[in-house]
Structure formats: C-alpha cells, structure tokens
Amino acid sequence: MATSPYDVAVVGAGPAGLAAAAAALAGGARVALIDAGRQPGGQYWRHRPGDLGAVADLHHDLGAFRRLVAGAAGAVRHFGQHVWTVSGSAADGFTVHAVAGDAETEVPARRLVLAPGAYDRQVPFRGWDLPGVHTAGGAQALLKGHEVLVGRRVVVGGTGPFLLPVAAGLAARGARVAGVYEANRPAGWIRHAGAVLPVAAKLTEGAGYAAALARHRVPFHTRQAIVAAHGGDAVEAVTVARLDHDWRIVAGSERVVECDAVAVGWGFTPQLELPLALGCATRVDADGSLVVEVDERQTTSVPGVHVAGEACGVGGAALAVAEGSIAGVAAAGVTSAPASLRRRRRALRRFAAAMHAVHPVRAGWQSWLADDTLVCRCEEVSAGEVRTALDELGATDVRTAKLLSRAGMGWCQGRVCGYATACLTASCTGTAPDLRGVSERPIAAPISLGTLAGDPGHIGQQ
Amino acid sequence: MPADVLVIGAGVVGAATAWYAARSGHSVTVVDRGPVAGGTTGAGEGNILVSDKPPGAELDLALLSSGLWRDLAVEVGGFEFDPKGGLVVAATPPGYEALVSLASSQSGAGVETVVVPAGELAEHEPHLTPSLAGGVLYPGDAQVQPMLAAARLLRAARARGATVRTGVEVTGFLRSGDRVVGVRTSAGDLPAGAVVNAAGTWGGDIASLAGVDVPVLPRRGFILVTEPLPRLVRHKVFAAEYVANVASDDADLQTSPVVEGTESGTILIGASRERVGYDRTLSVRVLRALAAQAVALFPVLADVKVIRTYRGFRPYCPDHLPVIGPDPRAPGLFHACGHEGAGIGLAAATGRLIAQLLGEEPPSLDLAPFRPERFGPVVAP
Amino acid sequence: MSAAFEFDGREVAFTDGQTVGAALVAAGVRSWRTTRREGRPRGIFCGIGVCFDCLVTVDDVPNQRACLVPAAAGAIVRSQEGDGRGHLAV
Ligand SMILES: Cc1cc2nc3c(=O)[nH]c(=O)nc-3n(C[C@H](O)[C@H](O)[C@H](O)COP(=O)(O)OP(=O)(O)OC[C@H]3O[C@@H](n4cnc5c(N)ncnc54)[C@H](O)[C@@H]3O)c2cc1C
Ligand code: FES
C-alpha cells in the first residue's frame, strides 16, 4: 500500500508537542503525534486515563492543557509508541521509527517537530540505589499519574524550583515531608528581579508552593543536601549535611533523618537522542545541560527539523508551550509566528535563565562519594572504578572512561549516570564536562531483535 | 632527549608496538590526536581469529599473533582474554563441504580444527537453529575486550618508561635528507630515531604526509549490542559466508551473521561491510539485516532487546593484507596499519615484528607479503 | 474500579490506569528485582521509563519496565534475579 507522508510528525505529546501539533494543524498541515505515553500531557500534565479531575489540585494551567488537547485533536495519534530512531532528511523525507511491544511502526513525514522533554538530572551519593530512593520526577509521576505516595515519611532534596511542587504534592496527599534540602540558596533570584517580573504568574506559583509547605509545616533548608542514604532492603534514613559554597560538606554538620522514602533531583537532563541521531547542532545551556541549538523559528541546524521544549533549554511548561506553538507554525510552513508569542518566549527564557543562575550544580558533590559508591546503577560501576579508568588506564575523555569502566553501558545507556561520569572525567582532566560524549544513543529505545528483523508496518496519510 | 621510537596511533596496534618496543629496551613515545583506543579499536568486537583465514601469509601472521596474545594475557592481562573458540556453521550441504575442505587445508597450515556434523552442533551450541548442515570448531579462536587491551598494553609500556601523549596530532615529518627523523605535531616537533605509522584507517593520510603512498581505505561496519544476558552463546559463531565476505571486493553492503557473548553479558552481533567512506549515519537497513541473520542463527534471540549499536571503519588495503615493515622510500619510517577487520587479532604479532625490526633482529615471519611499497610507484614528495 | 494481579503468589490490587510498578508501591512492595553483580534489591527509581531499575517479569516476559507496563487483571507478575533469563543459560 502506497502511503504519502504527513506534513509534520511531532514526537512528544507534552506541553511543547501538543502546542506544536495544535499550531501546525491550525496552519493547515496534516499532523501525526507520537508519544511513548498512553495519555497526552507528558511529564507536566501527567494523569490517568480519562479526566484529570482526581488530581486537578496537583496541576497547574489545566485550562491551557484542555485547550491544547482540543487544538491537537485533528492529529493522528500514535500513543504508547517508543521512538527508537528517526532517519532521513528534508529532501528525501523523514521517517519516525517507533515500537510498541513487538510491533514496529514507521511514520513518514516531510518535517519534524521533536519535543522529547527531559528527565531528572542525578548525581550519585552513597546508598542512592536503595529501594525507596526516587527521583523527584518519579515521586511526582507516581502521585500525579497513579495517586500513589512513595512513602509515609519522605525527605526531598537536590536543587531547583521543581523540588517545591514535589514536596507540596506529597504533603497535600498526606505524606509527612520530613524536610526539603535545597543545596543552593535560591533567595538570590531576587537579584534577578528584572528578569523575573515580566512573568509574575510564575512567581505566584512559587509563592503558592511556599505557602503550602508552611501550612504542612515542611521545613525548608537551603545550602543543605542529602549526602547519603541508609538501610538494608530499603531506605530507612538519610544523612543530610550543610554545604559550603563549592558543595563540600561542612565538617560536623551531618545529621541523620529517618524516612521511608527519598525524592531527589538536580535539575533536568534534556533527551537528545533523536536530535543527535539527525545530527542537530548543540550547545551547553545556562544550567549546564546539553541542549539543541535552535533559531527564532525553533529550527535546528538540520533543515526541516524543529525542536521545542526542554530539549532546546530547560524552562518549564509555559516556555515549552510558547516554543511548541512557534515550532508548529514554522513546521506547517506558515511564514512566522505572532510577535506576541515571540515576546512571551523571550520573557520566559529570561525567567528560566534567572532560575538556572541560582540553581547551579557545583562540583563538590564529587567529594561526598566513597570509592565504592555506585555511579552507574545498571552495570554497578563504582566511583573508584571510574577513577581507575581515568587515572590508571589513561582515559582522557568521557567516552573512553565509559568504555573502559562500563559506566553507562547497561540498560539505561548512561541516561542516569552520564552526567556524573562526564563530571568525574572533567574533574580529572581539568576541562568542561563533555556531555555530548554521553548523550548519543543511536538506539533511543530498546527494540527486540525479532521486531527489528521483521518488516515494520508503514503508517502514512492515505 | 629524542625517543628511539615514536609511534603514531594509540589503537591496539600502536599499543602492542609500544609494549614490545619498550620491553626490548627502547625509549618509546606514543602520540594520538584522540584518546586511547578512540579509533577503530574502540569499535570492534575483539576477536582473535584463525578460523576466517585460508592458508597464506595472513594465516601465518594470525597464528603467530594468537600465540602471542596468550602470552600477553599472562604478562600484561586485565583485558578479558577468553580462549572460547570459534564455531563456523554452514546452512547448506555444499556450504558444509566447502567448509570442511577449507578446514582441512587450514589444519595442514597448523590450525586446530574439529569437524562438527549437524547432529552434534547442539552439543556445542544448544541454542543454535537445528536447520544447519554442519560446522567446524576452531578451538584456537579467542576474544579480548579491545579497548582494555590497548589501555592495558599502553599502561604496561608506560611502566617500562614509555610516554603516551593523547590529543596530539601529527601534521608532518622531520626529515634529514630522505630520512625520517621525527614528526611535526600540534604540540611541536618530536624528533625520534624511528617513526611507526600505526594510524589504522588513517594510515594512508600519515603515509602521504611522508610523501609515500600506502592505500588504506575505510570499510564501515555496524555492531548490535543486546541487553545483558546469561551465557547463551559459548563460542564466536559465524556463518561460512562470512569468510567469503571478509575477502570480498564488492563495495555494496554485505552482511553475514556473527554472534558472540562477552564477559559483561551482552551479545555482540555483526557483521556488515560497506564502502561508504566515513559516513557515520545510522543505517536502519543494515541493522535490520544484522538482526534478521542473528535470529535465523539463534531463534532464542528473537525477543532479546538491542540496547545499543556502534559503527567503525575498518582499515583495508586493496589486497586485504596489512602493511607491516620499513618503508624503503622513507628510511626511518615503519608502517603497521591496514589490518582491516583483524587488527585486534593481528596486533600482537604486528607489534612484535616491528619491535624485532627496530632492534635489528630477524623477524619471526617473512614480511615480504606485507611490504609497504607493494602497491605501486613512489608519489613525489 | 479495582482489580488485581498476582505478584509472587500474592494478590496485588490496582486501580484503572495504574502501572504494575505503581500498584506494587501502593501495596508497600519496594523492590522486585536483584542486580546481576551484587544481588542488590531494586524497584522504582525514575518512575518514567528512563532508568530501567524497575525491571520485572510479567506473564513470563522478563525485563519489562514496571513503571510503564499497565496493570492487567489476572496478570502473573514475578520478581526477577539478575538478567531475568537465567533459565536460558547454557
Ligand atoms: C565493526 C567492526 C568489527 C571488528 N571486529 C574485529 C574483531 O573481532 N577482531 C579483530 O581482530 N578486529 C576487528 N575489527 C578491526 C579492528 O578493530 C581494526 O583492525 C583495528 O582496531 C586496527 O587497529 P589500529 O591500532 O591499526 O587502528 P585504530 O584503533 O584506528 O588506531 C589508530 C589511531 O591513530 C590515530 N591517528 C590517526 N591520524 C593521526 C594523526 N595525524 N596524528 C595522531 N594520531 C593519529 C587515531 O586517532 C587512532 O587512535 C573490527 C572492526 C570493525 C569496524
Ligand atoms: S523506574 Fe525508571 S524505568 Fe521504571
């Protein structure tokens, strides 16, 4: 059966992808919308099938979500589909290769909008692989997506504004949040007030969380971190400590806090597998993340490929929606997005930059590690083994460190430990972390040999 | 003080050369524009094979090398040396016949071979498809983790006084008349008593910097890596067609199934061969062909997940033999490159032979078939 | 709506739209696999399919991400050891 390609394939149905699909449809394009999840909304508007009613109190901007879903209704949905690679070019057409269970689907398209989002950035600490230790986003996903609490007495830590809604959500649903440990001193953003004021809504959101935490008597500590987790078969307690400016532990400040669950996050890592597979140029953003370089129209260095949302700079849902709308307009071939949209994007990006400026990740976390602290959870590679690859086996770059130590070579392919391995390498060589060396994953989702061997179904526009 | 020997390339061939030269008492400097094992060495499977070579110069080199690797596993170690043996299988009776006759000629050349009729294949490889005509077992085939091998050999060479300088690119040669007396690099001039070109796929570029022609070209290969598994496959298992593909001149895509386990639990699946220059784009078509062949050989793999793929560029010469020895057109320059898909396996012998030449000892093998100048006339400097 | 699947011989209830992993956590189960090298217990870490810590065997198919697999009534969920395919070893 001959199939003609879609005008636009949008990968990712979170805020950016939904906005892109809606904008492209409004511009007259035929659109395919592909997401690994079974619901639209991505990480931000995560919810169970059906309406968001039960978890509405945990969400923001539900009006915007409903508008976007309605706007994207004309797109052909491929949900529950994990994209394992994208191939092609603007000249020959692109193909999105996706897999769901044992079935593979190829979606042909003239142009792409990639909106794959991000996941929690992690740094290792002693005991972080104990059951009950979760990423902040994981705790949030269980709550928003499943109405499940990760524990009864939870400690939240890391850095970044995201810790607040996570703690507030847990407290609202009855968990005792034993403390939020923010490694930075973010009150400093007041100094960036000029950037922040134009997006006052963001500020009131933050103030709302602060009030919620106060109401639930959740202690909020700054310049403190969870530096170790303890327990037998699951976490039973954590050690928290005060940090100096470089994030070294202030001697004598360690304290043990009992808990049955932990939620940690250190900002976000954008998912770059797909843009990198197509050869999109990247840069390092203000938060230290590798992101895709885009122009005014959210176009990457590769013609016909647009990127929107966290993958071109972590900045939250509102920014993702603005970028998605602009990308969708561009991908549909409409000349240009309205100036108001572009102004909004500029303001939100300034806000994001201000937030990044006060939530850096400082190298001192490396001094919390013992030699036997796991860096790579999948292959169980310790900090000591990574350092042996660097100090003794002559690795001078992260790729070599990885291949010689096996850090990042397991199931997750370095998604979790890549940042840490790049930082450990950088500390050893005295260079900036090479995130590109840990971000390329030509197979972006596992696919069985039998499926790969078989003839995939081609799903195009009739 | 100038080094006795300057080795260009910190791949497995450069590493083995550095180790043997340092062990013979030479002062050695290794330079590489990238990291240790950042070239094709980091992109291969690490087989040390005698099974895929018909009798001839390359088989002699492979036999010498496989013995040396066994010694290196003891002398140096730490690179997952696994003498697991290879099993070559044939799908059809004529294929099996051809395989058995190849095996008998190989055994005349000193290769240990065991003919395995169809009914006995399962004893050796329980998960192998039952629909095969037979096979030959080669107990002499072995495997190493190639990056670790290069890294460990270089570390051992450093312990014998060698210097390894990564991130240093060779940009030209220092000459005294015709003689090569060192290299120009991105980090300044490095004079040396002798220079060894172990730049793998880029060996031809290095040669042309010295004004000589050594035709080394890239031949792309992809490898699929599975999820970590228990031991499902005991040997390196490949189909008889692989032997034909290895020696082929066809530029088009060729794939033949090569399946093997590793110490870390993943199974590696090859092998594809294409002449497409240094094109790094992922080829979905090639991955599908590799997957289909692996599943045909081992049906149990059908629901096993692929989690990674990587590609490399094998350095090949028109006659599919490596270039090993002194270059009469540029005295002081030695070549050790162009090993195509067998550079890990042949590295030990190559390093040993070059060290013998540098020490003015008689080489353990006749090097005539590997002469650098065998391809044609001198290019004017 | 509430239903149940079987986990290592016991019943685990779930509600509509929950994944196997979410239902296990809700039932107080923190870990359901051990690692290959050191046999360490693991359960949900990232909760969104990124980390592969939550691997579990569902209806005899090993190495599925519990945080992604929808819970289904009557499914047989088993905790797993190491690579989850030990029975295939030769
Ligand atoms: C898919 C695939 C599978 C393979 N499987 C096997 C196998 O199972 N067994 C086997 O024996 N072989 C195998 N091979 C082949 C093997 O990997 C190569 O033959 C071998 O790595 C060659 O080693 P080398 O040291 O010559 O080259 P390389 O490892 O490529 O080293 C050459 C080095 O020279 C450096 N260099 C180049 N130019 C300069 C310059 N101007 N200045 C400074 N440095 C420079 C490079 O950076 C590089 O590090 C495989 C290859 C591929 C692609
Ligand atoms: S918890 Fe991370 S993949 Fe399931």
Side-chain angles (χ1 to χ4, degrees):
Chain A
M1 185 181 66
T3 54
S4 79
Y6 289 95
D7 296 321
V8 182
V10 179
V11 179
L18 284 173
L25 285 162
R30 291 167 308 153
V31 178
L33 180 59
I34 305 143
D35 197 293
R38 289 182 163 73
Q39 311 295 327
Q43 308 303 347
Y44 187 68
W45 286 310
R46 181 178 278 275
H47 63 288
R48 304 228 318 241
D51 198 36
L52 291 111
V55 288
D57 61 312
L58 302 173
H59 282 282
H60 277 274
D61 303 334
L62 280 185
F65 175 61
R66 294 200 170 100
R67 271 195 307 282
L68 290 174
V69 171
V76 177
R77 290 181 175 195
H78 300 281
F79 282 4
Q81 297 276 352
H82 297 257
V83 176
W84 72 268
T85 193
V86 283
S87 59
S89 65
D92 302 334
F94 295 100
T95 306
V96 179
H97 306 259
V99 56
D102 288 336
E104 198 191 349
T105 300
E106 291 188 339
V107 181
R110 294 198 175 85
R111 282 174 298 280
L112 297 176
V113 178
L114 304 176
Y119 52 85
D120 299 77
R121 179 158 66 190
Q122 293 298 328
V123 305
F125 53 94
R126 278 170 288 152
W128 73 308
D129 67 322
L130 279 170
V133 177
H134 304 274
T135 68
Q140 181 83 327
L142 283 170
L143 197 63
K144 280 188 183 178
H146 305 282
E147 292 163 72
V148 172
L149 280 170
V150 285
R152 275 191 286 275
R153 189 179 156 84
V154 189
V155 180
V156 177
T159 190
F162 182 57
L163 301 181
L164 296 177
V166 172
L170 291 168
R173 288 311 164 91
R176 171 90 189 91
V177 178
V180 177
Y181 297 87
E182 161 61 65
N184 282 298
R185 194 157 280 164
W189 63 255
I190 297 291
R191 280 187 277 117
H192 300 263
V196 171
L197 287 176
V199 274
K202 278 264 145 205
L203 278 183
T204 40
E205 203 178 288
Y209 293 132
L213 292 185
R215 204 162 53 244
H216 293 289
R217 296 182 201 293
V218 174
F220 184 79
H221 309 275
T222 59
R223 217 26 103 57
Q224 295 194 35
I226 300 165
V227 296
H230 317 283
D233 288 340
V235 65
E236 289 157 19
V238 293
T239 296
V240 297
R242 280 216 315 282
L243 304 179
D244 69 13
H245 178 268
D246 295 321
W247 287 19
R248 286 172 189 283
I249 294 171
V250 174
S253 70
E254 295 98 328
R255 224 156 32 83
V256 172
V257 179
E258 285 184 14
C259 60
D260 63 359
V262 178
V264 278
W266 307 86
F268 292 91
T269 294
Q271 312 228 53
L272 294 200
E273 293 79 13
L274 302 180
L276 289 177
L278 290 166
C280 298
T282 55
R283 64 184 175 86
V284 175
D285 202 12
D287 63 346
S289 289
L290 190 74
V291 300
V292 177
E293 193 140 29
V294 290
D295 68 7
E296 266 296 292
R297 295 160 54 86
Q298 302 290 136
T299 313
T300 67
S301 62
V302 177
V305 180
H306 304 267
V307 170
E310 315 291 41
C312 54
V314 172
L319 176 58
V321 168
E323 291 179 345
S325 304
I326 293 169
V329 167
V334 181
T335 2
S336 85
S340 60
L341 202 51
R342 280 182 279 133
R343 272 200 304 279
R344 183 164 164 74
R345 177 179 60 183
R346 197 172 324 122
L348 288 164
R349 278 188 181 157
R350 279 222 303 279
F351 177 79
M355 279 297 170
H356 293 325
V358 294
H359 295 103
V361 175
R362 301 209 185 272
W365 63 264
Q366 296 175 29
S367 67
W368 313 343
L369 308 184
D371 251 2
D372 64 354
T373 304
L374 289 191
V375 171
C376 169
R377 304 163 64 98
C378 298
E379 293 296 282
E380 298 170 85
V381 181
S382 68
E385 287 169 304
V386 173
R387 285 176 179 143
T388 301
L390 292 162
D391 298 340
E392 284 184 35
L393 296 180
T396 48
D397 68 313
V398 67
R399 181 178 171 273
T400 313
K402 207 172 92 176
L403 290 164
L404 292 177
S405 70
R406 292 201 58 76
M409 301 285 280
W411 267 107
C412 94
Q413 287 293 298
R415 286 172 172 87
V416 177
C417 67
Y419 176 76
T421 311
C423 291
L424 289 169
T425 305
S427 294
C428 177
T429 56
T431 50
D434 168 21
L435 295 175
R436 185 132 190 163
V438 292
S439 301
E440 274 184 41
R441 281 177 276 274
I443 304 247
I447 176 170
S448 74
L449 280 161
T451 308
L452 184 56
D455 193 24
H458 300 267
I459 300 191
Q461 188 81 16
Q462 301 302 308
Chain B
M1 213 182 58
D4 301 335
V5 184
L6 185 132
V7 180
I8 306 171
V12 68
V13 173
T17 305
W19 158 249
Y20 283 113
R23 202 188 61 171
S24 322
H26 297 290
S27 72
V28 179
T29 297
V30 181
V31 297
D32 198 302
R33 65 179 171 202
V36 167
T40 313
T41 296
E45 291 156 289
N47 293 124
I48 298 168
L49 301 185
V50 290
S51 51
D52 63 343
K53 296 166 186 74
E58 199 188 4
L59 181 59
D60 296 341
L61 189 64
L63 282 166
L64 173 65
S65 213
S66 97
L68 290 171
W69 272 116
R70 261 156 239 266
D71 299 341
L72 288 174
V74 178
E75 275 177 286
V76 177
F79 45 74
E80 301 179 8
F81 178 79
D82 183 1
K84 60 183 178 182
L87 179 65
V88 186
V89 296
T92 60
Y96 180 44
E97 254 168 57
L99 184 58
V100 170
S101 102
L102 172 70
S104 106
S105 68
Q106 286 168 316
S107 103
V111 177
E112 196 187 336
T113 61
V114 183
V115 172
V116 185
E120 290 169 26
L121 282 172
E123 265 165 53
H124 299 279
E125 286 294 348
H127 288 299
L128 207 51
T129 177
S131 64
L132 291 167
V136 174
L137 187 68
Y138 293 82
D141 284 354
Q143 186 181 24
V144 296
Q145 205 279 39
M147 295 193 70
L148 279 174
R152 291 284 177 187
L153 286 168
L154 286 172
R155 183 166 174 264
R158 287 207 312 267
R160 301 273 180 133
T163 307
V164 179
R165 300 184 59 181
T166 52
V168 174
E169 174 154 14
V170 171
T171 54
F173 280 87
L174 305 176
R175 304 298 274 258
S176 161
D178 258 3
R179 241 196 117 65
V180 165
V181 293
V183 291
R184 291 228 133 92
T185 77
S186 54
D189 289 353
L190 299 175
V195 175
V196 181
N197 170 14
T201 315
W202 304 272
D205 302 339
I206 293 291
S208 56
L209 290 178
V212 294
D213 184 32
V214 174
V216 184
L217 291 161
R219 197 171 179 194
R220 184 169 78 174
F222 282 98
I223 290 177
L224 297 174
V225 187
T226 68
E227 63 181 270
L229 295 163
R231 182 154 278 224
L232 297 186
V233 178
R234 292 178 183 152
H235 306 87
K236 175 191 176 93
V237 178
F238 55 105
E241 305 85 58
Y242 176 80
V243 179
N245 270 349
V246 167
S248 157
D249 279 318
D250 198 336
D252 270 359
L253 166 65
Q254 296 162 343
T255 56
S256 49
V258 183
V259 180
E260 66 188 305
T262 62
E263 193 169 293
S264 58
T266 54
I267 283 183
L268 305 180
I269 295 165
S272 66
R273 291 159 192 275
E274 297 164 279
R275 304 214 180 103
V276 289
Y278 288 104
D279 181 359
R280 294 181 54 81
T281 32
L282 186 78
S283 166
V284 174
R285 174 173 83 113
V286 174
L287 303 192
R288 289 203 198 289
L290 292 177
Q293 293 178 334
V295 173
L297 217 44
F298 288 97
V300 68
L301 294 177
D303 63 77
V304 161
K305 298 281 198 299
V306 178
I307 62 171
R308 193 162 86 87
T309 180
Y310 57 93
R311 61 185 91 51
F313 299 93
R314 302 178 184 88
Y316 82 92
C317 294
D319 59 1
H320 302 285
L321 289 178
V323 178
I324 304 170
D327 196 322
R329 303 162 297 182
L333 175 62
F334 295 74
H335 298 284
C337 57
H339 293 74
E340 194 157 351
I344 316 296
L346 302 178
T350 303
R352 179 90 183 85
L353 290 164
I354 295 282
Q356 287 171 331
L357 295 173
L358 291 166
E360 287 167 22
E361 289 169 50
S364 321
L365 264 189
D366 172 19
L367 287 173
F370 311 115
R371 284 177 351 263
E373 71 279 20
R374 67 184 189 266
F375 301 101
V378 185
V379 175
Chain C
M1 203 183 74
S2 172
F5 58 79
E6 187 187 312
F7 169 68
D8 286 354
R10 60 181 264 208
E11 288 236 309
V12 171
F14 65 91
T15 56
D16 212 16
Q18 276 186 338
T19 59
V20 165
L24 287 171
V25 172
V29 183
R30 319 300 302 270
S31 64
W32 45 83
R33 85 166 173 110
T34 50
T35 58
R36 280 165 29 240
R37 245 173 99 172
E38 292 176 33
R40 297 170 69 90
R42 295 283 173 82
I44 283 206
F45 180 58
C46 77
I48 57 170
V50 169
C51 73
F52 295 79
D53 251 9
C54 62
L55 299 178
V56 73
T57 300
V58 181
D59 293 334
D60 288 330
V61 182
N63 296 323
Q64 306 215 54
R65 281 169 280 179
C67 70
L68 298 184
V69 183
I76 309 293
V77 177
R78 281 186 292 119
S79 55
Q80 63 172 59
E81 274 172 31
D83 48 53
R85 297 186 192 266
H87 59 289
L88 295 176
V90 296

